[in-house]
């Protein structure tokens, strides 16, 4: 491996398991936030907030001073608030109720949406973006084909941004944050390598919030 791809984390307060959780989910989240230019003081909604990338978005956006509204299953709301979310919304709420709840927690509208779900959320939540807002998407588990009103996009000068993975610069910024303890991945469970099947079952059950790690 080239030396410029290595990051010395010996001074980081994070454990080996926490550091191991950084590269994929947290790197993807960092790429989304950087491309959408999320800044301190902005209000950002995160879809799929209890998943790997979603939780990373909550933590990383909070670390840079943004106010986070998390869209998630109700049973996981407390864990997301612990991770830094200022408010949570139930993803299974009917459209009218969701609109009412969102207006209550973000009366001035949203500066940005960090979307890891796709599907109907673009059409349902795009009206909540204020002028010059940004919608960054890095997933389509709720559906890859969407419809929305293009007039909403251009009349309010909104930006729709695609984000796949992080760049080397994005990951270097993430490493700097982890080196100072500015972000700490949530470890939901840890299994020994001999119990990998139990780990896979825990992952499949989907009741966890955070990363499941395997240790020798």
């Amino acid at each position: 491996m080239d030396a410029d791809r290595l990051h010395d984390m010996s001074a980081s307060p994070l454990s080996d398991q926490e550091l191991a959780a950084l590269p994929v989910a947290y790197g993807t989240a960092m790429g989304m936030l950087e491309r959408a230019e999320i800044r301190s003081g902005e209000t950002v909604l995160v879809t799929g907030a209890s998943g790997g990338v979603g939780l990373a978005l909550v933590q990383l956006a909070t670390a840079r001073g943004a106010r986070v509204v998390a869209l998630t299953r109700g049973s996981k709301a407390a864990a997301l608030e612990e991770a830094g979310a200022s408010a949570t919304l139930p993803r299974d709420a009917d459209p009218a109720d969701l609109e009412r709840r969102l207006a209550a927690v973000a009366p001035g509208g949203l500066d940005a949406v960090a979307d890891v779900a796709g599907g109907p959320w673009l059409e349902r939540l795009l009206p909540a973006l204020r002028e010059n807002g940004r919608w960054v998407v890095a997933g389509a588990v709720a559906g890859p084909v969407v419809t929305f009103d293009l007039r909403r996009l251009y009349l309010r000068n909104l930006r729709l941004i695609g984000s796949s993975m992080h760049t080397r610069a994005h990951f270097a910024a993430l490493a700097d944050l982890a080196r100072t303890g500015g972000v700490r991945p949530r470890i939901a469970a840890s299994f020994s390598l001999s119990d990998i099947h139990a780990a896979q079952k825990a992952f499949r059950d989907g009741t966890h919030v955070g990363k499941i790690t395997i240790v020798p």
Side-chain angles (χ1 to χ4, degrees):
M1 180 179 291
D2 293 338
D4 63 358
R5 296 200 181 192
L6 297 175
H7 299 273
D8 182 2
M9 305 303 291
S10 56
S12 173
L14 273 60
S15 68
D16 288 347
Q17 292 184 61
E18 290 168 335
L19 289 170
L22 286 175
V24 179
Y26 284 79
T28 299
M30 180 64 85
M32 293 175 72
L33 296 177
E34 288 291 312
R35 291 185 175 104
E37 300 174 0
I38 303 301
R39 298 180 292 273
S40 176
E42 293 191 313
T43 299
V44 181
L45 184 140
V46 176
T47 69
S50 64
V53 178
L55 179 63
L57 283 166
V58 171
Q59 292 181 299
L60 291 172
T62 299
R64 62 177 59 194
R67 179 175 180 268
V68 176
V69 179
L71 186 66
T72 186
R73 191 182 305 169
S75 61
K76 299 182 177 182
L80 289 167
E81 290 172 358
E82 182 183 335
S86 297
T88 60
L89 299 174
R91 70 182 187 191
D92 55 353
D94 65 72
D97 185 43
L98 181 63
E99 183 179 344
R100 177 184 60 80
R101 289 172 181 250
L102 180 55
V105 299
L110 301 169
D111 295 293
V113 173
D115 182 16
V116 296
W121 298 115
L122 182 62
E123 182 178 16
R124 290 176 64 180
L125 296 176
L126 194 66
L129 278 181
R130 59 174 63 133
E131 184 85 9
N132 296 310
R134 294 91 70 205
W135 187 294
V136 59
V137 59
V141 293
V145 180
V146 301
T147 60
F148 65 95
D149 191 337
L150 278 172
R151 293 168 296 183
R152 176 76 62 175
L153 190 70
Y154 67 76
L155 289 175
R156 303 195 70 180
N157 300 305
L158 305 180
R159 283 190 286 155
L160 183 59
I161 304 162
S163 183
S164 55
M165 286 291 288
H166 51 276
T167 65
R168 292 189 192 182
H170 296 160
F171 191 78
L174 177 61
D176 286 341
L177 193 61
R179 198 176 289 113
T180 61
V183 64
R184 184 177 292 274
R186 179 187 175 104
I187 305 301
S190 180
F191 294 83
S192 66
L193 184 58
S194 60
D195 290 329
I196 191 170
H197 296 299
Q200 290 174 322
K201 182 180 184 304
F203 177 76
R204 188 172 59 247
D205 288 344
T207 58
H208 65 286
V209 177
K211 304 296 286 184
I212 294 174
T213 59
I214 305 294
V215 296

